Amino acid sequence: MTELLSDSAYVLESLPELWFGLVMLALGVYLLLDGFDFGLGILFAEADETERKTMLAAFGPLWKANEVWLVLFGTVLFAGFPAVYANILSRHYVLVFAILLALGLRGLGVKLREERDDQQWTRFWDACFVAGSTAAPLLLGAFVASWVLGEPSALAGGPIVVGLTVVALSVVLGAAFLAIKTSGTLRRRVVRRGRTATAIYVALFALTAAVLFGRYPELQSRLWSLPTAALVAATLVFAALSVVATSSGRYHGAFLSAAGLAATFVFFVALLLYPAVDPAAGLSISDAIVSPLSLNLTAIFAAVFLPIIGAYFVVLYSLFGGSATPEHSYH
């Protein structure tokens, strides 16, 4: 107990680094869970009305819960690195408002499309849903890249190409999710779109590495390293496994492969950032972490509540684990 209440030492010497890992974990889970939501929204654009009802039924019980991980990411970052939280929000407040607008637009699209029996009304809100689902991962990717690269603007080359990469990854995730949840023509089409998106994602991942290598000399040693080579190899392996899995009808395997792509991407982000946590302000983990007493106590709350949140998501996805139908039901 004395160690927990100490204001001179962390209960674990590596607790600041573990907290940095927790920030990346929350970011990764959010990218995975809301990533397939975004991908579903992008694929929504070419679906007919019956297919759209099936797609909405597939993610209806899940998408609001998935956004908990965005809140958790912000909470963990604030709890461990409040100066970084304040810095990145103040530097990119216009981008943050744009992200919130995109998330709100897709939410309104889902909620309002069925409020009136009017085709024009439905088409308008469907367009809002697609636009929000496309803009959100683009802007989120640009936001993360601006943070990691210390860029003052999201309109620089690095943030733009990373944003496009996250959009392609979202389509891969969305197609893999829908392949599990649907059947027939819709499943065959999303599988084809997923394969195309996988190829585009691999190309954009390579382009991201090339752009970063060319524009950010301080990152060249990390990009030209064994860990980066391992992440590139893992990306190629997961992409190949995804294609093989969909070709043999193993759709759960395809989703796990897509999840592997998302995890690899977040490891790449962490590799570029560590040991800094706010490159633009020149803050490392040891510079920005809160005092031992605050982090020790916050770590106790995290140890108690994170397993509860994890168990909630296991129960939620178990309850709605079956395939979806246009009648908004599961079987």
Side-chain angles (χ1 to χ4, degrees), residues 53-61 181-182 319-331:
K53 288 182 177 179
T54 302
M55 295 166 80
L56 292 175
F59 94 137
K181 292 291 186 181
T182 62
L319 286 174
F320 300 100
S323 57
T325 68
E327 292 77 28
H328 292 219
S329 63
Y330 279 77
H331 61 79

Side-chain angles (χ1 to χ4, degrees), residues 147-278:
W147 167 32
V148 172
L149 301 173
E151 281 282 1
S153 170
L155 298 178
I160 289 174
V161 73
V162 172
L164 292 173
T165 304
V166 175
V167 172
L169 179 59
S170 297
V171 177
V172 175
L173 290 165
F177 175 74
L178 285 172
I180 296 173
K181 292 291 186 181
T182 62
S183 60
T185 304
L186 177 56
R187 171 185 277 176
R188 288 191 290 274
R189 189 172 65 247
V190 298
V191 165
R192 289 197 301 274
R193 298 294 181 263
R195 289 173 186 161
T196 303
T198 300
I200 293 173
Y201 171 74
V202 171
L204 285 172
F205 188 87
L207 179 62
T208 296
V211 169
L212 298 187
F213 192 88
R215 290 180 59 92
Y216 303 93
E218 67 277 14
L219 296 178
Q220 289 181 353
S221 61
R222 299 185 195 184
L223 291 167
W224 195 257
S225 66
L226 186 60
T228 300
L231 291 175
V232 171
T235 298
L236 294 174
V237 168
F238 282 125
L241 288 175
S242 176
V243 173
V244 170
T246 53
S247 300
S248 57
R250 297 175 183 175
Y251 301 117
H252 284 85
F255 187 80
L256 289 176
S257 299
L261 288 175
T264 304
F265 182 83
V266 174
F267 274 115
F268 183 62
V269 170
L271 176 68
L272 294 178
L273 192 60
Y274 184 85
V277 70
D278 186 0

Side-chain angles (χ1 to χ4, degrees), residues 14 24 29 42-43 52 59 65 112 118 150 154 156 164 171 175 194 208 218 224 236 312:
S14 58
M24 290 294 116
V29 176
I42 296 169
L43 293 167
R52 288 181 173 184
F59 94 137
L112 295 180
D118 180 323
L164 292 173
V171 177
T208 296
E218 67 277 14
W224 195 257
L236 294 174
Y312 165 75

